[in-house]
Amino acid sequence: MSLETLWFIIIGVLWTGYFVLEGFDFGVGMSLPFLGKGKNAEESDKRKRVLLTTIGPFWDGNEVWLLTAGGATFAAFPAWYGTMFSGFYLALLLILVALIVRNMGFEYRHKRDSDAWRKGWDLCIIIGSLLPPLLFGVALTNLVRGVPITQDSLQEFIYTGSLFTLLNPMSLLGGLVFVGLSLTHGMHFIALKTTGEIRQEANAFATKAGLVTAVLAVALLLWVGLTTGTTGSWITTVLAAVSLLAAIFFNTKGAEGKAFIGTTLTWALAVATYFLALFPAVMPSSTSSKYDLTVTNAASSHLTLQIMTGAALVFTPIALAYTAWNYWVFRKRISVEHIPPAIDPLKGAGDHGNDKNKEQVDA
Amino acid sequence: MEALDLARWQFAITTVYHFWFVPITIGMSAVVAGFHTAWLRTRNPEWMRLAKFFGKLFTINFALGLVTGIVQEFQFGMNWSAYSRFVGDIFGAPLAFEALLAFFMESTFLGLWIFGWGRIPEKLHVMAIWLVHIGTVLSAYFILAANSFMQNPVGFRYDEVKNRAVLTDFVAVLTNEVQLVTFPHVVSAAYMTGGAMVMGVALWKLMKGRVEADRGMYRKGARVGAWVTLVASVGMLISGDVQGKIMTDVQPMKMAAAEALYTTEQPASFSIFTIGTLDGEEEKFAVTVPKLLSFLATGSMDGKVQGINDLKNELPQAIAARADQLGIPKHYVDPASYTPNIPGSYWSFRFMIGLGMFAMAGALLVLWRTRKGGTPHGKLFAWIAILTPLAPVFANSFGWIFTEIGRQPWLVYGVMTTETGLSTAASVTDVAISLAVYTLLYGALAVVEVKLFLDYIRKGAEPFEEPKMLKDDDQLAFAY
């Protein structure tokens, strides 16, 4: 296998890692409106805090998979990185803004004890969890489908479409599938990490979400297969469908771990289907196949790929090891009983009350 | 406004904003790790309270450093795709290394530290915050290596078949002479910033806090912060001095622009400030220190410093000759002018140095005034508490503004002009929209961040609680 092909596979693995891990973060974020509903305001808030705490120690590390996928694409396939990110400009901007407001929501929501404050950040978390999978689904489906690309005299491949080029039935279906799969996957994660009512509700909802997602996903993968399918991608398509159905089945039986493994495999196989349908292109041109970006013409030099391979071999296991330890440390299920009282800097502790006149700080 | 201007503004705004938070993250994580370690060693509750108090302030700040970093990672591809394609072979690898070696470490261990109270053994818990700190420093190393390549491109050749730069020596890229001095300079700056932040906050609480019993604790915090600032500022001066000489060597025009020196001088004096236009005509009024510029640039009091006008004549041939030797097409190495923005270079250089000196002086004063259990009073020290943390934050901004303005008109010095690196696919509208969105969003987030930061300062350190390992049914020590 050539180094270029190896790095094509590694980029696929990085995207898989991203969707497997951030996928459930997105699902948890999207679930605030319905799983976060309790009998009264106080219980609702406690439930929301349980949901967010299940991903609290993890989401930031999970997001690094995206940064690594971006950085690795830059290093291994600079032309792909440049053409895709400058071409899918506004879609990417929306994704970044969504991630920013979601992350700030995670970090800042608990830092004040005020309903208005929490409501605002909740909205940021919900929208910020819905948009990224939707837009990643749209973008990656377009990648497989092919987008208008030409090449200039300086050998730069240039995307010639607009934001609206990206909005077509197939890619929108792709976006919905990514959202549905994130939601189902997130429900399985919550069912694994909580006890009490939240766990039961997440389990019940996962079946519904799973069934809808399964219908959409099968339609999408068939569509992708009929458009740009290869033998390999057809095999993974069948396996992806099987693992999603298996996940739904195990979920109905209450086998939460197996259900979660099922949606994890579905992510991996869905990404594999996309990448097998792409190969040997990384970004096929709908204008003319002579403008296709491929694993050869978009790749870095051998020296760069060798250095990157060495680094990946040495450091990926280390990163995976401490990530696994992090998940092990916080393996216990949590429930509303575990949630401590909300903190507020304007009430209580150190200086007893807040007499602002005595402590005026010019910001 | 053309797409080029907008993209440059966007890079300037997002980078400067990102770099308000990054040095605080680097410096403060070290101080918080120090407090936490001191608790482990001495079992003095004050250290634990300081660790938790500054840990909260640290996370408030970390959040913004993190989200603005995501934008930086993708901005090269979005606005500078021609650049990304042309030098990605060299420039991409440090970014990938940064994510793999540094970002995973920072984010995973910060999650462990924040949520880990009562969940992991104490020694491992302290180790977690140290690993966060090491992650931030590693991250600085890789991203500065990437920037140093732009200032002083090494370890590459030009491939004419593919029309792009290709890596020849990765070790040379990671040990670029500019990098070896920039890294200590930036990390010293970060320690100064984190130290000054801790010092300023603790000093404020020492003077204005209303809990008498906590004064001793805040005095300790203020002194630790002041010591960190002071020691770091020594590292800052030494590395800055070496950096000046390397810069004169590698980017002579940058040094000339830093002084707005038009005619070559030997010895050359350094002006503290100038009232005038800086356009090389008669200066109206300037306060100068004789021979200082010679020393800064060459290390000798009588060294020759080249002026802008001479460089304007010499540089084009020198750069063209080197580009020819490498085989780089004229398209990439043909700027309209070889001179950066002179007033911008001149003033940012001075503000950087002046603000750095101010922080150093503030730390010294505080150390002197708080010795032997002294408590500062009065307006002077209240202002020192407020301004000393802000000085390095803005000194950092001016440092970056200086080094990046001074690099113009080059994106990669002598290899690629800024205008040739722009994305063809991104329209003016695209770039304008993103610039507007980032600016508004960042502005709003800054307001929220500062308000939270001040609220938590006002609240002060929490009462001490004896740490214990949690049982299954216990309430969590921390939850979202």
Side-chain angles (χ1 to χ4, degrees), chain A residues 211-226:
Chain A
L211 285 170
V212 175
T213 305
V215 172
L216 295 174
V218 168
L220 172 76
L221 292 175
L222 286 175
W223 198 344
V224 169
L226 294 170

Side-chain angles (χ1 to χ4, degrees), chain B residues 223-271:
Chain B
R223 288 185 64 82
V224 168
W227 273 116
V228 170
T229 309
L230 193 63
V231 173
S233 55
V234 174
M236 188 82 201
L237 287 174
I238 296 168
S239 59
D241 179 56
V242 180
Q243 198 175 15
K245 292 162 185 49
I246 289 180
M247 183 173 84
T248 309
D249 227 17
V250 175
Q251 294 169 299
M253 188 59 109
K254 198 188 260 188
M255 190 43 121
E259 177 57 33
L261 181 75
Y262 281 86
T263 45
T264 301
E265 283 181 17
Q266 183 175 12
S269 56
F270 181 88
S271 60

Side-chain angles (χ1 to χ4, degrees), chain A residues 89 155-156 301 332 350-351, chain B residues 79 81 89 161 205 211 472 480:
Chain A
Y89 197 99
Q155 299 202 30
E156 193 188 353
S301 64
K332 292 200 172 69
D351 281 348
Chain B
N79 289 340
S81 68
D89 203 78
V161 179
K205 297 304 289 186
V211 185
D472 284 6
Y480 266 172

Side-chain angles (χ1 to χ4, degrees), chain A residues 7 14 31 88 104 133 149 158 166 177 220 222 228 314 361:
Chain A
W7 272 91
L14 290 169
S31 74
F88 295 178
M104 296 310 289
I149 297 172
I158 295 155
L166 301 180
V177 170
L220 172 76
L222 286 175
T228 56
V314 176
V361 184

Side-chain angles (χ1 to χ4, degrees), chain A residues 24-81:
Chain A
F24 66 70
D25 294 339
F26 293 140
V28 171
M30 281 185 258
S31 74
L32 288 188
F34 50 93
L35 287 186
K37 253 212 199 78
K39 284 189 275 297
N40 52 41
E42 193 193 354
E43 201 205 358
S44 294
D45 187 50
K46 281 236 159 127
R47 288 179 63 137
K48 288 195 179 80
R49 292 181 63 197
V50 169
L51 294 170
L52 294 173
T53 302
T54 60
I55 53 171
F58 311 132
W59 65 266
D60 188 3
N62 296 346
E63 195 174 76
V64 174
W65 286 82
L66 174 67
L67 298 177
T68 312
T73 308
F74 196 173
F77 300 102
W80 185 12
Y81 169 84

Side-chain angles (χ1 to χ4, degrees), chain A residues 49 52-53 56-57 59-61 63-68 70-72 74-75 78-79 81-82 85-86 89-90 92-93 96-97 100-101 103-104 106-108 110-112 117 121 154-156 158-159 296 299-301 303-304 307-308 311-312 315-316 319 322-323 325-326 329-330 332 334 337-341 343-347 349-351 355-356 359-363, chain B residues 56 59-60 62-64 66-67 70-71 73-74 76-79 81-82 84-85 88-89 91-93 95-97 99-101 103-105 107-109 111-112 115-116 119-120 124 161-164 166-168 170 204-205 210-211 331-332 383 423-426 430-431 433-434 437-438 441 445 448-450 452 454-456 458-459 461-462 472 474-476 478-480:
Chain A
R49 292 181 63 197
L52 294 173
T53 302
W59 65 266
D60 188 3
E63 195 174 76
V64 174
W65 286 82
L66 174 67
L67 298 177
T68 312
F74 196 173
Y81 169 84
F85 288 12
S86 66
Y89 197 99
L90 292 175
L92 192 60
L93 172 69
L96 294 177
V97 169
I100 289 172
V101 299
N103 294 0
M104 296 310 289
F106 287 157
E107 295 266 11
Y108 280 3
H110 62 275
K111 289 205 155 51
R112 293 273 312 273
W117 173 267
W121 289 120
L154 298 164
Q155 299 202 30
E156 193 188 353
I158 295 155
Y159 172 83
T296 16
S300 277
S301 64
L303 178 60
T304 297
I307 290 165
M308 295 277 296
F315 295 107
T316 311
Y322 58 66
T323 302
W325 180 57
N326 189 20
V329 167
F330 300 106
K332 292 200 172 69
I334 53 171
E337 286 77 41
H338 290 106
I339 299 295
I343 37 176
D344 196 293
L346 306 180
K347 297 171 195 160
D351 281 348
D355 181 355
K356 287 191 186 172
E359 278 202 50
Q360 202 59 56
V361 184
D362 292 325
Chain B
K56 277 230 166 48
T59 54
I60 291 171
F62 183 87
L64 268 179
L66 172 97
V67 295
I70 307 173
V71 173
E73 181 89 20
F74 294 116
F76 299 108
M78 288 170 81
N79 289 340
S81 68
S84 302
R85 194 200 67 82
D89 203 78
F91 191 86
L95 266 70
F97 272 63
L100 186 60
L101 272 74
F103 291 160
F104 272 122
M105 189 151 64
S107 46
T108 307
F109 287 104
L112 271 158
F115 286 85
R119 306 289 288 274
I120 41 177
L124 286 176
V161 179
K162 295 214 159 185
N163 180 31
R164 66 173 200 202
V166 181
L167 183 71
T168 54
F170 192 54
W204 183 265
K205 297 304 289 186
R210 260 162 293 154
V211 185
H331 165 81
Y332 291 105
W383 280 110
S423 296
T424 319
D430 287 344
V431 186
I433 289 173
S434 61
V437 167
Y438 288 143
L441 180 66
L445 290 177
V448 175
E449 198 263 358
V450 169
L452 262 187
L454 296 179
D455 285 346
Y456 272 88
R458 200 169 289 131
K459 185 178 185 184
E462 299 279 341
D472 284 6
D474 287 347
Q475 267 190 0
L476 299 171
F478 175 81
Y480 266 172

